[in-house]
Amino acid sequence: MTLPQRAQQAPRAPHGRVHPIAPAPGARAMNVAARARAMGVFAAAFALFSVSCGRRDGDVSGHPAAPTESTEATAHRESALATLRTAEYSRASAAVSDDLLADHDVAVRRAAARALARILDPRAVERLGAKLADEDDEVVAWTAYGIGEACPLGDTHTVRALAARLTSLEPSAETGRPGHPSAMPALLDALSRCGSTPAEATLRAWLEGAPEARSAAALSLARLAARQHHLDDASVVALLDAANASPPVHGALAAFGQLESIPDIAGKRLVQVAEHSIRDAGRERTFAISALLPSGGAGVELLAAVLTDEKLPPAPRTRAAATLGRMGKVAGPALGTAIEVLVPAGTVADARWLDVHFAPVLAALTSLDPPAAGATDALGRVSDLSLPDGAPPSVVRRLVALRCAAGAVLAGSATLSTRLVHCDPDPNGRAGALATLRVLDRGKLSGPRRKVWATYLGSPVPGVRRAALALLPRHLEAAPVVIELANALGAKEPGVVAQAARDLADAPRLAVAHADVAHTDVAAHTATDGAGTPATSAEPSRAIVDALAHAMDAERPPDQVETRIALASAAAGVGALSLKPRLERYCASDSPALRRAAESALRALGANGTSCDAPKTTPAASIAIPAFPTKPVTLVFATDAGRFAMTLDPSFAPAAVARITELARKGFYDGMPILRVSPGYIVQLGDSTGDGSGGAGLPPVPSEGTPVEFGAFAVGLALGGKDTGSSQLFVTASEEPPLFGDYPLLGSADPEWATVAEGDTILHVEVRDGTASHTN
């Protein structure tokens, strides 16, 4: 499962279902052409806004029903909500009638808008256009959310309509109901999804609006920056002004952590503003630390000071280390010096030291590239950390992680380095294997180094084989690798199959059987002729095509959508025309994400007119929707590193909360290691295979995205595309604006989750809730 690009950056983010996790955020439900047609209808429908916005129909006070309503009204609402719920979860937009969209009961209109926003087929987008004129704040919020998800990039008509609706909002509508979607942030986020120059200008203008609008505009600019990695100079200046205001606009610095560069003069001012926010130690501190990324060398000293300040909590220090790592060579000396400060001579790495320093030091080590001039002594001290007899597994795990991270830096490109070879006492240990693969990545995979790499292709340790395969697109000199890739395509682990397929999609030359792959321009192979057919100069090996065919024919659990998507991309990448029938089968899938991948693959193979439309759905009335929880549920994870709790609230994602709760009750998570920890960003868990692509083997949970911010320690359901969620969860270590609306928001976790380490083992999950409180 995957998370947005921002969460995938250094030191490393959740991959597979969360890569918190990849793939890009906000998977769209339709292709661009279909979205454009639907949005054209929306623009026409919005013309009705000026004559309908003054009409008041139904209760807009924020309460679903008046206390004195009639029995008939109650019965009508319950019947309508049941119909809409079935329509939403069966993805049947035809069941959302115009009468329900215009119902006098605001609760019904809200449910109708939410259903269309989550279904988001062309008919749903067409119907949503009219609801942008609704008076109810929450109806407008859901409508804007759906319109933004479907907005073709650069669509000026939609931008104008969204901007007009923003200016018409009454002051009382800006905040909405606490804990519910609100029109103002949803409209601003929709503008960020459209991504045009006028959209950015509109967002910039709202930085000077009411306080609630200014923060929402700033966070939406951060999402825009995350998608395009660039903002106009005027936006950069406006955000710096907002961050320097008194009081500062919340989130004004968030966008800078998504940018690759800014003008030098802005960089100097950014350092000054960020330093003030870091010193204030408020909500803005995390944003301020990440904001220093595009400041270049100007921000390195400040980040190093944060990293080495032992008076600060581990979280901001860890974020500072990760940001330094993302800055590249300019930050290398500062990282080396910081490690010397953090691990002085005589350091005793006991449990107390680990509580304070483990996450920051590990983030610094994994961010440091060799040669680490000035840090050799400290790296040696870390790599030589002793493993006390009788120490708890959680302590040993952390010490081994530090030893191997330091050993990998000291080794440079030498795989036989003593400190690297002996960093993990387990000869088959995961930490040692992944460290060696990092070292292999620094040199050519040829000769003896290729033999070392090949040994990891047979590793039974979860994640190791996948990590070894992930090196191939950067190391074409390892070719020919037809046998290795064909074997990987036949693996039992879904992540291994998916990684082999991605290798072929990213570097199609790996499918060629002869050894001159390394000397051939890969880009030439991926070029297309005028008809869109891959223009290949070498045919893919029959062994690869056959392996892809077998992999596509293999019986897989219904939630292994990510693996099927990767296979579709591989089929197109290698130009395997014989796989068209299998792609056509994918084209008829119930999964929107897989249909989209199949459509793209078929077009790449020359079927330009292909459109993988949604299959005809079963009439909504005949689909049984299971009972969902109505009250919060607390899950207490007992691990070998301590107890960690989270509270799941079904208000926004009842299907996902029901799934996770059911799995926890059945012991699904018991004995499972924490899948991935990206220090300072994301904790990910819930993969039964341990390699990032596994689930519970059950039908995917329908996506329940909600236009609400992911704050610090929010809990989300990992996705690999629309309607692909299964069993994987993620916990945010800090506020993450790019996640807004793209993932189901399940609840909140205790701050202690920040101390979890990759590999910590879940012993048991206790479920605490009122099990009798369910509804149909």
Side-chain angles (χ1 to χ4, degrees):
M1 285 303 190
T2 59
L3 283 185
Q5 186 67 29
R6 172 65 184 86
Q8 295 183 54
Q9 294 172 353
R12 190 165 168 246
H15 70 264
R17 291 191 174 265
V18 177
H19 269 334
I21 32 320
R28 306 292 176 92
M30 299 172 286
N31 60 46
V32 172
R35 288 200 303 268
R37 291 193 297 271
M39 295 311 296
V41 176
F42 152 68
F46 184 77
L48 299 174
F49 169 70
S50 60
V51 297
S52 62
C53 66
R55 178 176 56 86
R56 302 188 66 86
D57 53 350
D59 175 16
V60 295
S61 64
H63 301 287
T68 58
E69 70 178 0
S70 66
T71 302
E72 290 79 5
T74 301
H76 164 75
R77 180 189 311 106
E78 291 179 351
S79 174
L81 292 179
T83 297
L84 290 168
R85 182 182 183 189
T86 302
E88 176 182 331
Y89 287 97
S90 62
R91 301 307 195 223
S93 64
V96 185
S97 67
D98 291 341
D99 288 343
L100 292 173
L101 283 167
D103 199 279
H104 68 280
D105 190 319
V106 68
V108 174
R109 298 205 309 279
R110 289 171 182 165
R114 183 188 66 209
L116 291 178
R118 287 176 170 174
I119 296 169
L120 216 60
D121 61 14
R123 182 188 180 281
V125 177
E126 177 184 341
R127 295 299 187 274
L128 278 173
K131 296 313 295 175
L132 201 60
D134 199 283
E135 286 187 335
D136 181 66
D137 186 75
E138 193 169 328
V139 172
V140 176
W142 282 112
T143 301
Y145 169 58
I147 287 172
E149 280 283 285
C151 184
L153 292 177
D155 183 74
T156 56
H157 296 291
T158 305
V159 169
R160 284 198 293 267
L162 293 168
R165 187 64 179 97
L166 272 167
T167 60
S168 71
L169 287 179
E170 298 178 6
S172 60
E174 291 181 1
T175 57
R177 295 190 297 154
H180 290 261
S182 182
M184 177 67 75
L187 286 162
L188 291 168
D189 176 70
L191 285 168
S192 78
R193 294 176 187 273
C194 291
S196 65
T197 298
E200 182 176 342
T202 302
L203 291 173
R204 186 167 64 242
W206 279 90
L207 286 174
E208 300 180 1
E212 299 84 1
R214 292 180 357 225
S215 176
L219 294 171
S220 293
L221 280 167
R223 288 186 279 276
L224 180 62
R227 295 183 180 103
Q228 62 187 26
H229 302 292
H230 172 78
L231 289 177
D232 293 341
D233 289 351
S235 297
V236 169
V237 173
L239 286 169
L240 286 172
D241 289 342
N244 201 38
S246 182
V249 173
H250 173 62
L253 291 174
F256 293 95
Q258 315 291 341
L259 299 177
E260 297 173 354
S261 63
I262 57 175
D264 290 343
I265 189 170
K268 295 179 181 178
R269 187 183 176 202
L270 173 60
V271 173
Q272 296 173 347
V273 175
E275 183 175 12
H276 180 75
S277 294
I278 292 170
R279 187 170 59 248
D280 281 355
R283 252 179 110 188
E284 307 308 309
R285 182 162 65 183
T286 299
F287 288 146
I289 292 171
S290 295
L292 292 167
L293 174 66
S295 68
V300 168
E301 183 178 351
L302 178 55
L303 286 169
V306 173
L307 172 58
T308 55
D309 188 349
E310 298 184 15
K311 296 179 181 179
L312 293 176
R317 296 167 58 210
T318 302
R319 176 72 68 134
T323 303
L324 284 167
R326 294 171 62 199
M327 296 174 99
K329 292 182 179 180
V330 69
L335 273 170
T337 302
I339 293 172
E340 286 284 352
V341 173
L342 293 171
V343 193
T347 295
V348 178
D350 55 14
R352 179 176 297 181
W353 185 90
L354 289 170
D355 286 343
V356 176
H357 294 294
F358 170 70
V361 172
L362 181 63
L365 290 170
T366 54
S367 298
L368 186 61
D369 291 325
T376 304
D377 291 343
L379 289 170
R381 289 193 289 272
V382 177
S383 67
D384 290 338
L385 289 173
S386 61
L387 304 177
D389 293 337
S394 60
V395 171
V396 173
R397 186 178 302 120
R398 285 158 174 76
L399 290 173
V400 170
L402 292 172
R403 283 161 48 116
C404 288
V409 178
L410 288 170
S413 60
T415 59
L416 298 181
S417 166
T418 301
R419 284 194 165 102
L420 176 66
V421 172
H422 297 294
C423 72
D424 192 337
D426 181 354
N428 297 315
R430 187 172 186 269
L434 295 180
T436 302
L437 288 169
R438 286 198 297 274
V439 171
L440 284 168
D441 198 19
R442 296 181 186 133
K444 289 188 175 183
L445 292 184
S446 57
R449 294 172 59 82
R450 190 189 188 283
K451 292 180 180 179
V452 174
W453 168 78
T455 63
Y456 291 110
L457 293 180
S459 174
V461 180
V464 171
R465 190 177 181 186
R466 180 173 185 165
L469 288 166
L471 302 186
L472 281 177
R474 299 188 297 274
H475 293 278
L476 297 184
E477 71 277 1
V481 288
V482 166
I483 294 176
E484 291 86 348
L485 286 172
N487 288 338
L489 288 169
K492 294 180 180 179
E493 303 88 347
V496 172
V497 178
Q499 187 60 58
R502 289 194 189 97
D503 288 351
L504 290 167
D506 294 342
R509 278 290 176 182
L510 294 172
V512 178
H514 47 81
D516 63 352
V517 177
H519 307 291
T520 308
D521 182 7
V522 178
H525 177 77
T526 57
T528 58
D529 60 22
T533 304
T536 61
S537 57
E539 291 295 321
S541 163
R542 172 51 56 185
I544 289 293
V545 175
D546 288 346
L548 283 170
H550 288 305
M552 296 176 77
D553 289 341
E555 291 291 331
R556 301 186 185 279
D559 55 1
Q560 285 188 14
V561 179
E562 181 185 8
T563 301
R564 294 182 174 93
I565 290 172
L567 289 167
S569 298
V574 303
L577 298 176
S578 63
L579 298 180
K580 275 188 174 182
R582 293 170 174 83
L583 289 171
E584 289 167 353
R585 189 168 67 245
Y586 281 1
C587 191
S589 168
D590 290 335
S591 167
L594 182 55
R595 290 200 306 273
R596 190 164 54 252
E599 180 178 297
S600 176
L602 285 167
R603 291 183 177 185
L605 291 176
N608 292 334
T610 299
S611 179
C612 296
D613 298 324
K616 294 182 178 179
T617 57
T618 305
S622 67
I623 297 177
I625 302 298
F628 291 154
T630 61
K631 293 185 178 181
V633 179
T634 297
L635 305 183
V636 181
F637 290 75
T639 77
D640 62 0
R643 294 171 69 84
F644 308 94
M646 63 174 63
T647 298
L648 307 185
D649 186 342
S651 298
F652 297 143
V657 170
R659 165 65 61 82
I660 300 305
T661 303
E662 176 189 13
L663 292 174
R665 290 189 196 282
K666 293 181 176 179
F668 173 79
Y669 298 101
D670 296 359
M672 194 177 292
I674 299 295
L675 173 63
R676 184 166 298 103
V677 176
S678 185
Y681 293 99
I682 296 288
V683 174
Q684 183 183 350
L685 59 101
D687 174 15
S688 57
T689 67
D691 71 356
S693 294
L698 300 171
V701 178
S703 293
E704 298 169 299
T706 302
V708 174
E709 296 289 352
F710 272 74
F713 301 105
V715 179
L717 185 73
L719 303 177
K722 185 178 175 63
D723 296 345
T724 61
S726 180
S727 60
Q728 289 194 37
L729 302 172
F730 64 88
V731 176
T732 60
S734 59
E735 189 172 354
E736 293 292 343
L739 301 183
F740 183 101
D742 289 337
Y743 296 86
L745 179 60
L746 275 58
S748 60
D750 291 347
E752 287 75 16
W753 280 91
T755 66
V756 169
E758 192 169 303
D760 285 348
T761 301
I762 301 168
L763 305 176
H764 179 65
V765 182
E766 178 185 355
V767 180
R768 301 174 181 172
D769 73 334
T771 55
S773 298
H774 290 76
T775 185
N776 290 326

